[in-house]
Every structure is written in structure tokens, then in C-alpha cells.
């Protein structure tokens, strides 16, 4: 568990308690040592979180000084829930798991009426994972990872007519077009920006090379080029 997650869960565990929570109980819940709990609580106290207590006694949030919960309107919360459902349905497994974990953390600190509103949301994106969709989700994860790490990729690609080619690309972004994804890239073969559909990528291999942003072929330049292209179509 990441340290940031532990700190969040410590505050959540102490919220609203009238009696001190023993450090041992926190350690067992978090799966860490007592020493780690003592250190985390001390760091929270130093950062201004109003935790009272000490090792061997337990901890409480100072009365009247509870950390206020995240404040969302009902519409804002519904947007978060719907967004999470769409990510789970259409993105890669890594992004889907991250979105679900984030939503659980948000719901953990919501007042009951907003939590119930989230559960009543009637906009769905059904998750269906056959073998093909599992493979596609894995491809999205790989492409997203390459974008984050600035990895040059070698793609085996088939265009709309079925013509195949091998391209070295600098992946810049992923875009979802309500049914289809595209990978926005700088194509070294064509020496220009190109969009590749992940469902037409037969294979995707890191070359072992990393690229640095260069003026005229970075994400900002790509977005400007795409904006000009679509405005020209209109």
C-alpha cells in the first residue's frame, strides 16, 4: 500500500470516533508495523491534522476539529460515478482499477445522502470482457504506459484497406471517440503526425528508446494540427 493511501485511511478510521483507536488496531487494519503507524500519525500531526493521543493509548481526532469531508454536489458526484463506469467499460484494466479505487475513496467520506444518490445513478456502461476485449484492454494499458514513459514503439499496423506496414512512432496521447480509440503519434516513417487505431495494431513492441519532446512534434503541436484538420473539414 502506498504511504499516501495509508495516511488517507488513518484519517478516515479516526473520523467521527468518540473513543481512542489503538495503534495496534490501525496496524492490523493497514497490514503494517506499529512503528509505521506511530511514524505516520506523527507526520500527520506535524502537517496540522488535529490528531490527539499517543503510543500505547490510542488516537482520536480533536473534538470540534474534524477534517471536513470532500464537498460535491449531487450532479458532480453523478458525473464522477458515470465517468468511472465508462472508464471501467472502455479503458484498459489499469485505468479501470484506478478509477474504481478513486471512487471508493471518495464515497468513503461522503455523507449518506450523497452516497445513496451515487448508488441510484441510472447511466450505465456495461462491462463485457470476452477474449477479444481482454486483449484490447491490455493493448490500451500498454499504449498508455508507453505514452507515460515516452517510449518509442514499433507497431505492426493494418490500415482501413487491410494494407500492412511496420511503423516506429512516438506515442503522444490516446483519444476515445465514443466507440473507437485512436493513438495520436509522431510517425517516423511519414515524418508527421498520424493517428492509429489500437484495434488495427497487430503487435506493439517497445524499441528500448525513449524520446524527448521536440518543438513542432510534441503533444501541443499534435493537438494544434488536429484542431486545424477538423476545422478545415467543417
Amino acid at each position: 500500500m502506498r504511504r499516501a493511501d495509508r495516511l488517507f485511511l488513518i484519517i478516515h478510521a479516526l473520523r467521527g470516533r468518540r473513543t481512542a483507536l489503538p495503534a495496534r488496531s490501525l496496524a492490523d487494519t493497514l497490514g503494517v508495523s506499529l512503528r509505521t503507524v506511530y511514524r505516520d500519525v506523527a507526520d500527520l500531526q506535524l502537517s496540522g491534522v488535529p490528531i490527539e493521543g499517543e503510543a500505547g493509548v490510542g488516537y482520536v481526532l480533536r473534538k470540534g476539529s474534524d477534517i471536513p469531508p470532500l464537498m460535491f454536489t449531487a450532479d458532480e458526484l453523478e458525473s464522477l460515478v458515470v465517468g468511472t463506469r465508462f472508464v471501467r467499460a472502455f479503458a484498459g484494466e489499469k485505468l479501470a482499477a484506478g478509477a474504481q479505487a478513486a471512487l471508493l475513496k471518495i464515497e468513503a467520506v461522503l455523507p449518506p445522502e450523497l452516497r445513496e444518490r451515487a448508488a441510484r445513478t441510472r447511466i450505465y456502461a456495461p462491462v463485457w470482457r470476452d477474449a477479444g476485449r481482454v486483449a484490447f484492454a491490455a493493448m490500451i494499458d500498454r499504449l498508455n504506459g508507453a505514452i507515460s514513459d515516452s517510449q518509442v514503439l514499433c507497431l505492426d499496423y493494418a490500415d482501413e484497406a487491410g494494407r500492412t506496414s511496420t511503423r516506429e512512432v512516438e506515442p503522444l496521447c490516446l483519444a476515445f471517440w465514443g466507440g473507437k480509440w485512436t493513438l495520436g503519434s509522431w510517425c517516423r516513417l511519414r515524418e508527421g503526425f498520424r493517428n492509429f487505431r489500437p484495434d488495427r495494431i497487430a503487435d506493439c513492441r517497445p524499441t528500448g528508446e525513449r524520446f524527448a519532446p521536440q518543438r513542432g512534434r510534441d503533444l501541443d503541436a499534435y493537438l494544434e494540427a488536429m484542431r486545424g484538420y477538423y476545422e478545415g473539414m467543417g
Side-chain angles (χ1 to χ4, degrees):
M1 181 185 299
R2 296 182 309 165
R3 184 168 184 273
D5 293 332
R6 287 203 316 271
L7 298 180
F8 174 88
L9 291 173
I10 288 172
I11 295 173
H12 178 59
L14 297 177
R15 187 188 301 278
R17 287 186 62 89
R18 296 184 179 181
T19 58
L21 181 62
R24 171 58 65 186
S25 177
L26 278 172
D28 291 343
T29 299
L30 299 173
V32 297
S33 67
L34 275 173
R35 182 178 179 182
T36 298
V37 170
Y38 296 152
R39 185 175 62 246
D40 286 349
V41 170
D43 288 346
L44 285 169
Q45 290 171 326
L46 287 172
S47 68
V49 178
I51 298 175
E52 295 182 338
E54 58 186 80
V57 177
Y59 300 102
V60 293
L61 282 172
R62 186 181 308 133
K63 187 175 181 180
S65 303
D66 193 11
I67 308 297
L70 294 172
M71 299 305 294
F72 292 104
T73 66
D75 288 341
E76 289 169 343
L77 180 60
E78 185 170 23
S79 296
L80 289 171
V81 173
V82 172
T84 298
R85 290 176 177 176
F86 272 78
V87 171
R88 289 180 60 202
F90 299 113
E93 297 290 350
K94 185 176 180 180
L95 286 173
Q100 184 64 20
L103 185 61
L104 289 173
K105 289 179 181 179
I106 292 170
E107 289 179 339
V109 295
L110 289 175
E113 62 273 16
L114 281 183
R115 194 177 305 120
E116 292 172 6
R117 170 65 184 264
R120 293 198 303 269
T121 299
R122 292 296 183 263
I123 300 177
Y124 295 99
V127 179
W128 174 47
R129 290 282 197 260
D130 60 9
R133 288 178 180 261
V134 169
F136 183 78
M139 174 65 74
I140 293 296
D141 281 339
R142 291 207 303 276
L143 295 175
N144 187 45
I147 293 168
S148 298
D149 294 338
S150 299
Q151 296 178 350
V152 177
L153 295 176
C154 182
L155 307 181
D156 292 338
Y157 190 73
D159 65 14
E160 188 174 5
R163 296 182 295 263
T164 59
S165 62
T166 299
R167 310 285 189 96
E168 273 197 6
V169 303
E170 299 172 9
L172 300 172
C173 65
L174 282 163
F176 182 66
W177 300 85
K180 297 295 182 183
W181 286 88
T182 56
L183 173 71
S185 304
W186 176 267
C187 177
R188 291 183 169 182
L189 178 65
R190 303 302 185 196
E191 296 186 340
F193 295 117
R194 292 293 187 273
N195 292 314
F196 299 94
R197 280 184 32 181
D199 58 325
R200 294 178 181 164
I201 297 175
D203 193 22
C204 164
R205 304 176 298 281
T207 64
E209 178 187 353
R210 294 182 180 237
F211 65 93
Q214 298 183 40
R215 186 178 179 84
R217 55 193 280 182
D218 58 6
L219 178 60
D220 289 341
Y222 166 83
L223 294 175
E224 185 63 30
M226 293 302 105
R227 187 179 300 113
Y229 172 78
Y230 288 112
E231 287 177 353
M233 291 179 60

